[in-house]
């Protein structure tokens, strides 16, 4: 097992993956930018995205097999970041891809070999899932790999049919989970129980195109798209309780804690959540600016702005005074540098952009929080748990205080915001949010 503070681990896990597939005929390709060529998404959300035109038969593959470690950002679950053991905005996805070349049998056999023989995860700690209708994948796991049927779980489309969006290439998938508590036995396996299981490797059998009506048409070629979560594998191998305490993120948390004059180990739960949010988001914003995204009020620029604002706010919550984001970013830049040298090359621009945004937002934050506290106090006195759309709108429109921040702070106090009322006050503004 690799220890928590082995500085080489992030490189090792990536390199081991890429080397394994390179030795099996895959072309190693560099990570594509976080800014996708695909106009249907704002950010690169999966390792397969740069290959979408190939899967759809719109572009000829240069190689029949490829492998990458792809930078990704997903913000659909942003409120879970820091609160669960494994939600991220920025993460890296290790993938092996077949463009009309090998299919299920090889993808499954290699994923198993890599997991158990190379990363040396004990087979008895692994459970797999298959799409409920995919008897073929079930049989491969049972007969060729030798997994006991009780540890092959059939799941519905919500979990085991992967699609990159409402339209586009898709297919049934099969996932490998690590079991933190094998002593609980095989009788009541619930893969949704994330105190027991973590899914770390998703094998997608990409064989359909889905149109806007939801109709599936078989693709000309059957493809493989896989994704292994680098942070998740690091959590498993480093034997830490969550992704944030891996070497990929923990040094950023340590820097933030230092600036706040506290230590992570002694911090209370609420402070730990803030430290984890900072650890996660600072990586995201550093990589976004390195990939030429600029803070703005629309599209991916607004995602960046929102992440920076959340960092600033959580910095305040843990007691950091004054400007701090560039110092924390330096740790994230140093972590990224060995694998992504362009991040160091753009370090000055990254820090300048962060400082600019931080400076602008600080004043808004201080004034807005004070006003919101009054609104919350009034609501509590009036024994209502609803903040009116009007109050939220005044905060937004007059004081520049973002709706989602009002919502987040209100939720922390057990209140909700009348978002419909907010929209009714100024429908045009909603587009920005
Ligand atoms: N595209 C799949 C995922 O994102 C596998 O890489 O999980």
């Amino acid at each position: 097992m690799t220890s928590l503070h082995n500085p080489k681990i992030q490189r090792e896990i990536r390199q081991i993956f890429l080397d394994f597939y390179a030795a099996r005929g895959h072309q190693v390709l560099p990570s594509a930018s976080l800014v996708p060529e695909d106009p249907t998404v704002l950010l690169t959300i999966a390792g397969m995205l740069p290959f979408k035109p190939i899967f759809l038969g719109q572009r000829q593959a240069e190689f029949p097999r490829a492998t990458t470690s792809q930078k990704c950002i997903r913000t659909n679950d942003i409120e879970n970041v820091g609160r669960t053991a494994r939600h991220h905005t920025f993460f890296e996805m290790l993938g092996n891809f077949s463009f009309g070349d090998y299919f299920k049998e090889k993808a499954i056999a290699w994923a198993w070999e890599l997991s158990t023989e190379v990363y040396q995860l004990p087979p008895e700690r692994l459970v797999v899932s298959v799409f409920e209708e995919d008897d073929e994948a079930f049989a491969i796991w049972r007969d060729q790999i030798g997994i006991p049927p009780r540890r092959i779980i059939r799941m519905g489309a919500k979990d085991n049919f992967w699609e990159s969006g409402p339209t586009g290439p898709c297919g049934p998938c099969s996932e490998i989970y690590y079991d933190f508590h094998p002593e609980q036995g095989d009788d009541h396996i619930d893969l949704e129980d994330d105190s027991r299981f973590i899914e770390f490797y998703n094998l997608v059998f990409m064989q359909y195109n889905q149109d806007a009506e939801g109709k599936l048409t078989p693709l000309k070629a059957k493809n493989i798209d896989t994704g292994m979560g680098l942070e998740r594998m690091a959590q498993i191998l480093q034997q830490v309780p969550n992704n944030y305490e891996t070497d990929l993120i923990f040094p950023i948390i340590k820097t933030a804690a230092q600036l706040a004059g506290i230590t992570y180990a002694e911090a209370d739960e609420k402070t730990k959540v803030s430290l984890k949010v900072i650890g996660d988001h600072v990586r995201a914003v550093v990589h976004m600016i390195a990939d030429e995204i600029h803070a703005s009020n629309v599209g991916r620029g607004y995602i960046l702005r929102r992440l920076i604002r959340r960092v600033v706010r959580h910095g305040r919550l843990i007691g950091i005074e004054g400007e701090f984001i560039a110092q924390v970013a330096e740790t994230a830049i140093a972590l990224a540098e060995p694998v992504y040298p362009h991040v160091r090359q753009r370090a000055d621009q990254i820090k300048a952009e962060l400082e600019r945004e931080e400076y602008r937002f600080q004043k808004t934050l201080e004034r807005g929080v004070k006003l919101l506290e009054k609104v919350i106090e009034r609501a509590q006195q009036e024994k209502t748990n609803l903040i009116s759309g009007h109050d939220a709108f005044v905060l937004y429109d007059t004081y520049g205080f973002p709706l989602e921040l009002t919502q987040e702070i209100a939720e922390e106090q057990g209140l909700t915001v009348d978002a419909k009322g907010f929209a009714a006050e100024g429908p045009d503004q909603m587009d920005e949010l």
Side-chain angles (χ1 to χ4, degrees), residues 45-49 74 91 93-95 97 162-164 173 175 199 202-204 206 225-228:
I45 46 118
M48 54 72 70
L49 206 72
R74 292 184 191 173
F91 60 97
M93 194 179 274
L94 299 160
F97 304 92
W162 200 86
E163 37 201 36
S164 61
C173 63
E175 299 174 316
E199 178 237 318
N202 184 13
L203 318 177
V204 183
M206 193 76 100
D225 151 34
T226 81
M228 174 186 285

Side-chain angles (χ1 to χ4, degrees), residues 78-303:
I78 196 169
E79 62 288 346
N80 285 329
V81 172
R83 296 178 199 280
T84 70
R86 63 199 61 137
H87 274 92
H88 291 293
T89 54
F90 177 87
F91 60 97
E92 287 174 79
M93 194 179 274
L94 299 160
N96 53 292
F97 304 92
S98 154
F99 309 117
D101 187 24
Y102 64 89
F103 200 48
K104 285 183 196 180
E105 278 189 30
K106 274 204 169 73
I108 289 177
W110 282 338
W112 187 255
E113 184 187 346
L114 175 64
S115 303
T116 58
E117 289 174 32
V118 183
Y119 290 122
Q120 301 197 353
L121 304 181
E124 64 279 10
R125 287 235 178 198
L126 302 183
V127 177
V128 301
S129 67
V130 295
F131 179 51
E132 56 196 358
E133 293 165 22
D134 194 350
D135 295 333
E136 192 187 356
F138 191 98
I140 296 172
W141 283 115
R142 184 190 55 200
D143 304 335
Q144 297 184 24
I145 309 293
I147 309 281
R150 288 201 306 182
R151 290 175 80 84
I152 310 172
I153 314 295
R154 290 181 188 263
M155 311 261 274
K158 183 172 90 44
D159 294 291
N160 278 59
F161 195 92
W162 200 86
E163 37 201 36
S164 61
T167 62
C170 55
C173 63
S174 181
E175 299 174 316
I176 312 181
Y177 288 73
Y178 182 79
D179 185 353
F180 289 107
H181 295 289
E183 74 283 359
Q184 291 180 14
D186 294 351
D187 288 342
H188 304 286
I189 288 182
D190 171 12
L191 292 177
E192 310 259 316
D193 173 4
D194 60 10
S195 65
R196 177 169 177 193
F197 295 105
I198 184 170
E199 178 237 318
F200 65 91
Y201 205 173
N202 184 13
L203 318 177
V204 183
F205 312 124
M206 193 76 100
Q207 60 193 102
Y208 303 107
N209 182 25
Q210 180 160 248
D211 67 17
E213 278 78 51
K215 197 169 131 259
L216 298 177
T217 317
L219 293 168
K220 276 204 197 79
K222 288 181 176 171
N223 308 288
I224 289 293
D225 151 34
T226 81
M228 174 186 285
L230 175 64
E231 293 76 8
R232 293 178 177 203
M233 187 49 99
Q235 183 198 338
I236 296 167
L237 292 178
Q238 296 176 1
Q239 298 278 293
V240 288
N242 56 65
N243 290 357
Y244 310 98
E245 292 183 42
T246 64
D247 274 10
L248 296 163
I249 303 176
F250 201 62
I252 307 171
I253 290 181
K254 268 172 64 179
T255 304
Q258 238 161 27
L259 291 171
I262 56 176
T263 61
Y264 177 82
E266 287 162 19
D268 59 28
E269 260 330 291
K270 198 164 162 262
T271 306
K272 277 192 177 153
V273 169
S274 287
L275 284 167
K276 289 172 187 170
V277 170
I278 294 173
D280 171 86
H281 289 10
V282 167
R283 281 200 327 157
V285 299
V286 159
H287 280 280
M288 286 173 91
I289 303 171
D291 282 357
E292 313 274 352
I293 299 172
H294 299 287
S296 77
N297 272 346
V298 286
R300 58 180 83 93
Y302 188 69
I303 296 176

Side-chain angles (χ1 to χ4, degrees), residues 37-71:
E37 280 172 30
D38 182 345
T40 65
V41 280
L42 287 176
L43 292 161
T44 300
I45 46 118
M48 54 72 70
L49 206 72
F51 304 118
K52 203 166 142 183
I54 301 178
F55 289 135
L56 291 174
Q58 295 161 347
R59 200 171 78 205
Q60 187 71 25
E62 280 176 64
F63 315 97
R65 303 172 184 184
T67 182
T68 59
S69 175
Q70 175 64 50
K71 297 173 280 186

